[in-house]
Amino acid sequence: MPHVQQHQSARVPAPAEGRPLESLVVWVLGLGADPDDSQDERAQKALLVGVVVGVLPTGILWGAMYWALGEHAAALFPWCYTILSIACLAIYARTRSFTLLRDTELTMILVTPALLQVSLGGLIASSGVILWSFLAPLGAAVFDRPERAWKWYAGFVALIVGTIPLAELLRPDEADMPYWAVMAFAALNIAAVSVVTFSVVLAFLRQREIARNRVEALLLDILPAEIAQRLQVEPQTIADDIEEASVLFADVVDFTPLASELHARDVVGLLDELFTSFDELADRYGVEKIKTIGDCYMVAAGVPRPRADHAQVLVSMGFDMLDCAKACLTGEDGEGKGLQLRIGISSGPVVAGVIGRRRFLYDLWGDTVNMASRMESHGAPGSIQVTRATWELVRDEFETEPRGLVEVKGKGEVEAWYVVAARA
């Protein structure tokens, strides 16, 4: 039962303490909010409620002015619209049916000005109040599917064409209002409709900008910035030949038996903490994380941007990764969990690119990638093993030890070195 009560209480958020006006605005915009709504759905609901609430004072004011000018029947239309809108908001807060609120409001905003124009005797006598009906197709374009907005626009045009002869038939004498009042209403109708239209369009564009920024941020989390920009401009396969780059593979030693002793949530949490630390190192060194494969972490330097120190920077990062695996994952007692890594690095040409059309992945191919993977799998725990190509690039900056010949599948015996430490 406590869960049910909590779910029901989320229907209409209560005003927060502190700033009364700001809290009231937040509370009103949150009417009908659902805890399961996405950020876009919450923004769309808040925008619709904001438009409805924003138009309510206009209905009250217009009705009062018509009443003061002696057009009592005409005053009833904006007042009835206001009362029905408040009722719709109350029902919406109870049912959280966005579709019901949207369609009801669009229908009322389409029909009410047309009825008001007929009751006043025509387009001129009503000061062009039919302009308010344009908010219906506009609202349909913003709050519904764009293709359905054409039906609402067709209804708007039909009302303009149909109400002009109908007004002459039902009230041929027109409304007896002063000229200044007719002109004042015309100015108010144009100004009010323009303000509402501009505000809705501006809010809609702001939502679209926020959504686009979220998509771009997500894309940048998956792909390098240069590749993300190219992919947006060229929606096709991206493949680049990189002449000089280095690739690093890091794998957790004995992770499979360790994972069998832990709960699934703990396994994921362990890898998340470790790989998040590696991501921070990648950002610090300015290298490109390529992907993770199980408990294996792959990173490259020199792609997609060339850099002369691609091998040196990966070796430096490799030492930090070894230290991080030992020390950065601490238990409740503050002691390190003592994870060990095997790290392999190889340097040379690679092919880099993005293939496919779904779940994009910036990946690397070529002999350099395969050799880096073999250096890792044939390495020793807590060490960095490199190929000759990498060794020739880093031997002046780092102390190394020859490993000798390593049997590599598909390559035969190849030379390998351990990188021991940075030179003083």
Side-chain angles (χ1 to χ4, degrees), residues 143-388:
F143 301 111
D144 200 354
R145 296 191 301 273
E147 58 270 16
R148 293 188 59 183
W150 285 107
K151 298 179 180 179
W152 292 93
Y153 186 76
F156 168 66
V157 174
L159 283 175
I160 293 178
V161 175
T163 53
I164 293 176
L166 185 61
E168 294 179 356
L169 179 64
L170 297 180
R171 188 172 179 180
D173 56 339
E174 294 187 347
D176 185 18
M177 290 192 300
Y179 177 77
W180 64 266
V182 175
M183 291 296 100
F185 269 117
L188 289 173
N189 286 330
I190 294 173
V193 173
S194 300
V195 168
V196 174
T197 301
F198 181 75
S199 300
V200 170
V201 172
L202 198 63
F204 175 75
L205 293 177
R206 177 58 179 162
Q207 289 183 22
R208 191 179 68 172
E209 181 183 6
I210 293 173
R212 184 176 65 249
N213 290 339
R214 288 205 309 268
V215 172
E216 290 180 354
L218 181 61
L219 197 60
L220 291 177
D221 286 340
I222 300 174
L223 302 173
E226 296 88 341
I227 301 301
Q229 293 174 1
R230 287 175 57 187
L231 195 61
Q232 294 181 63
V233 176
E234 313 169 21
Q236 58 187 4
T237 301
I238 294 178
D240 298 319
D241 289 316
I242 308 296
E243 295 183 0
E244 285 293 332
S246 292
V247 181
L248 178 151
F249 281 87
D251 188 80
V252 180
V253 178
D254 296 329
F255 183 77
T256 300
L258 174 63
S260 64
E261 300 175 359
L262 300 175
H263 189 276
R265 187 180 296 105
D266 296 329
V267 173
V268 174
L270 179 65
L271 288 177
D272 178 67
E273 187 176 356
L274 181 64
F275 288 168
T276 298
S277 301
F278 291 171
D279 290 344
E280 294 173 354
L281 290 175
D283 292 338
R284 185 192 309 169
Y285 282 101
V287 297
E288 198 65 47
K289 173 188 175 180
I290 304 301
K291 60 185 175 181
T292 61
I293 311 169
D295 59 314
C296 183
Y297 190 92
M298 178 182 177
V299 65
V303 294
R305 298 170 298 279
R307 58 184 300 173
D309 62 342
H310 53 85
Q312 292 86 343
V313 73
L314 277 193
V315 171
S316 298
M317 179 178 172
F319 281 118
D320 284 347
M321 293 171 74
L322 292 175
D323 294 337
C324 179
K326 294 177 183 179
C328 75
L329 297 176
T330 56
E332 296 179 357
D333 56 359
E335 295 295 329
K337 297 179 181 178
L339 294 178
Q340 284 190 310
L341 302 178
R342 285 192 306 268
I343 294 179
I345 303 176
S346 184
S347 304
V350 298
V351 175
V354 179
I355 59 175
R357 293 295 180 269
R358 298 176 60 188
R359 298 182 180 178
F360 295 122
L361 174 66
Y362 183 70
D363 209 347
L364 306 179
W365 300 270
D367 187 62
T368 301
V369 179
N370 296 332
M371 289 302 298
S373 177
R374 296 295 183 265
M375 288 296 100
E376 176 273 311
S377 60
H378 291 79
S383 67
I384 300 175
Q385 184 169 249
V386 301
T387 59
R388 168 174 282 277

Side-chain angles (χ1 to χ4, degrees), residues 78-161:
W79 282 346
C80 287
Y81 166 79
T82 302
I83 294 172
L84 291 175
S85 292
I86 294 174
C88 286
L89 288 174
I91 296 173
Y92 171 61
R94 181 76 176 173
T95 64
R96 291 181 292 180
S97 176
F98 178 77
T99 302
L100 177 62
L101 177 65
R102 180 195 65 204
D103 292 348
T104 303
E105 282 296 326
L106 293 182
T107 301
M108 289 194 300
I109 200 64
L110 180 68
V111 174
T112 302
L115 296 176
L116 184 55
Q117 176 170 292
V118 172
S119 70
L120 290 171
L123 182 64
I124 297 177
S126 65
S127 305
V129 73
I130 193 72
L131 283 174
W132 282 94
S133 296
F134 177 72
L135 296 180
L138 174 66
V142 174
F143 301 111
D144 200 354
R145 296 191 301 273
E147 58 270 16
R148 293 188 59 183
W150 285 107
K151 298 179 180 179
W152 292 93
Y153 186 76
F156 168 66
V157 174
L159 283 175
I160 293 178
V161 175

